Amino acid sequence: MRIEKIELPFSTSGTSRSLQVMRFGRADARPKIYVQASLHADEIPGMLTAVRLCNRLAALEAEGKILGEIVVVPVANPIGLAQSIQGSAFGRFALADGTNFNRHFAELSLPAAERLRGRLTHDAAENRELIREALRASVQALRATDEISALRRELLRLAIDADVVLDLHCDSEAVTHLYTSTAHALRAAPLAAALGAKALLTAEVSGDHPFDEAVSRTWLELARIFSDYPIAHSCFATTVELRGDVDVSYALADHDTAAILYFATLEGAISMALPPAEPDAVFATPLAGVLPLSAPVAGIVVFECAVGDWIRRGEIVARLVDPISLDETALTSDIDGVLFARTRTRYAIAGQRLAKIAGRDPIRSGKLLSP
Ligand SMILES: [Zn+2]
């Protein structure tokens, strides 16, 4: 295990933060798998999984079983991790500028295209290396004067030339689910199955440029810009939501670590015996098919359905109880699908999102992720 420390520029005098990067296998060996946890800093299940993964990888490395390079960042957001408001963790948005930490990553296809013009060949493998080089140079050229933009740039720099990128998150109360590019649904399926996921949500553009799209969609864009040249989609990235934010235990982290090692073996980064039984398949559904259920009125939230339940159209998901009028409002689903996440909050402000149901058919457009 090689440990690297990346200092972030300090925002105020007398403070300093850094990213710690753990590297396994030979530097620059392929495939390169990049795993980061807790970009939304208070999402801890992935952080514990990253710790257990590092322990397993160190043992596999000692046995000479790592064939590629595996890079793990267990604390991808030390800025957000330090944000606490009177005892409550606040890790999704940056207090300094209000932005969601997992949005607004740099769009690199145009700057990379400028560097590539006139250099691509009719050899796909050669183009892959030229594109990786152009992407690395484009990240290096990004300006980052403050701590938050430097964090986004450094995370991109670590992942931009990886073959596989796993961004570990969690929801409020949830079953495991994954987000990935429509083009990568098939590649994500064995990982989703090994994790025991109940939803695999796909979109080409989900809005506001989250981390997984920043590293992966660039290849699709470049293939479009240079349509006369062979360009394979050489970075598979997925956002993995490891259940709800209090689902932190060694048993769950070890289960998820085993799934990631299984997937890394399928991808050729590790030499390990694969389990004899194939896990149950998980079918991809469009992110545009997710129904966000919002509270039509304020009230006490009483859920009638659990996460992981299959919901039928018209079924009551929750009731909102008005503690003043004593009225009750039923909240029903407009679609059939899996209730894959719901809020931990038990008092809803009018308009608040309470649950998400993954349906089969697209029903939305525009920005598809939660704010
Ligand atoms: Zn998250």
Side-chain angles (χ1 to χ4, degrees):
M1 177 167 69
R2 289 164 289 131
I3 297 177
E4 181 189 344
K5 196 171 173 185
I6 300 170
E7 300 289 345
L8 298 175
F10 61 85
S11 283
T12 52
S13 307
T15 64
S16 69
R17 292 195 178 91
S18 58
L19 285 170
Q20 181 151 303
V21 184
M22 333 289 236
R23 293 179 183 271
F24 304 87
R26 195 165 42 80
D28 301 325
R30 292 284 167 179
K32 174 181 172 182
I33 296 189
Y34 173 81
V35 183
Q36 72 177 22
S38 308
L39 175 56
H40 287 141
D42 52 350
E43 298 177 0
I44 305 305
M47 197 186 282
L48 184 62
T49 297
V51 170
R52 301 298 262 189
L53 181 63
C54 285
N55 292 338
R56 289 288 306 275
L57 289 172
L60 288 165
E61 188 175 50
E63 294 169 27
K65 290 189 170 166
I66 298 189
L67 310 173
E69 186 185 19
I70 303 178
V71 181
V72 185
V73 179
V75 180
N77 184 0
I79 303 168
L81 198 59
Q83 290 185 167
S84 169
I85 300 175
Q86 297 186 342
S88 294
F90 188 82
R92 186 174 180 85
F93 300 94
L95 283 176
D97 63 10
T99 58
N100 183 321
F101 281 112
N102 188 23
R103 303 288 186 271
H104 316 298
F105 280 89
E107 163 60 74
L108 295 171
S109 55
L110 293 179
E114 285 308 308
R115 291 171 193 275
L116 289 163
R117 224 165 276 285
R119 298 184 61 209
L120 292 172
T121 72
H122 290 283
D123 181 310
E126 214 171 307
N127 288 343
R128 188 185 59 211
E129 295 316 307
L130 286 168
I131 291 172
R132 283 180 178 152
E133 190 187 302
L135 289 171
R136 283 190 289 261
S138 302
V139 174
Q140 208 57 42
L142 291 173
R143 280 171 54 81
T145 45
D146 65 283
E147 210 177 24
I148 297 166
S149 53
L151 175 73
R152 289 195 179 104
R153 184 186 66 185
E154 291 308 312
L155 295 175
L156 268 189
R157 193 173 63 75
L158 289 165
I160 197 65
D161 57 0
D163 299 87
V164 171
V165 171
L166 308 181
D167 190 10
L168 308 183
H169 288 246
C170 71
D171 212 298
S172 190
E173 292 180 343
V175 285
T176 297
H177 56 284
L178 287 79
Y179 298 86
T180 195
S181 163
T182 310
H184 285 143
L186 279 178
R187 199 160 164 194
L191 174 65
L195 286 163
K198 296 281 187 261
L200 171 55
L201 305 165
T202 62
E204 190 175 316
V205 182
S206 51
D208 284 341
H209 227 226
F211 184 75
D212 61 347
E213 278 187 23
V215 291
S216 160
R217 186 154 62 85
T218 312
W219 290 86
L220 303 175
E221 299 291 349
L222 288 171
R224 241 177 237 135
I225 294 169
F226 297 108
S227 55
D228 292 341
Y229 295 92
I231 295 176
H233 303 161
S234 302
C235 177
F236 161 69
T238 175
T239 296
V240 180
E241 304 278 346
L242 295 173
R243 307 175 195 82
D245 55 19
V246 298
D247 293 326
V248 178
S249 73
Y250 281 141
L252 292 173
D254 289 344
H255 170 273
D256 297 338
T257 295
I260 291 170
L261 292 175
Y262 165 81
F263 185 63
T265 305
L266 288 184
E267 289 285 329
I270 295 177
S271 162
M272 250 175 52
L274 291 174
E278 284 285 309
D280 291 344
V282 183
F283 295 101
T285 53
L287 180 55
V290 169
L291 172 71
L293 274 181
S294 300
V297 293
I300 301 163
V301 183
V302 184
F303 280 112
E304 302 240 323
C305 299
V307 291
D309 281 358
W310 179 263
I311 310 293
R312 297 225 165 268
R313 178 199 297 256
E315 191 172 338
I316 296 175
V317 173
R319 294 178 196 276
L320 289 150
V321 182
D322 184 329
I324 305 296
S325 69
L326 314 184
D327 289 342
E328 185 187 285
T329 305
L331 184 59
T332 58
S333 174
D334 295 335
I335 62 167
D336 294 341
V338 179
L339 178 85
F340 65 92
R342 67 183 201 185
T343 182
R344 243 170 357 112
T345 306
R346 292 297 183 265
Y347 182 85
I349 293 168
Q352 186 178 332
R353 263 187 200 191
L354 298 180
K356 290 179 275 192
I357 297 171
R360 233 169 271 159
D361 303 315
I363 50 171
R364 299 182 300 148
S365 58
K367 292 184 183 182
L368 298 174
L369 297 171
S370 303

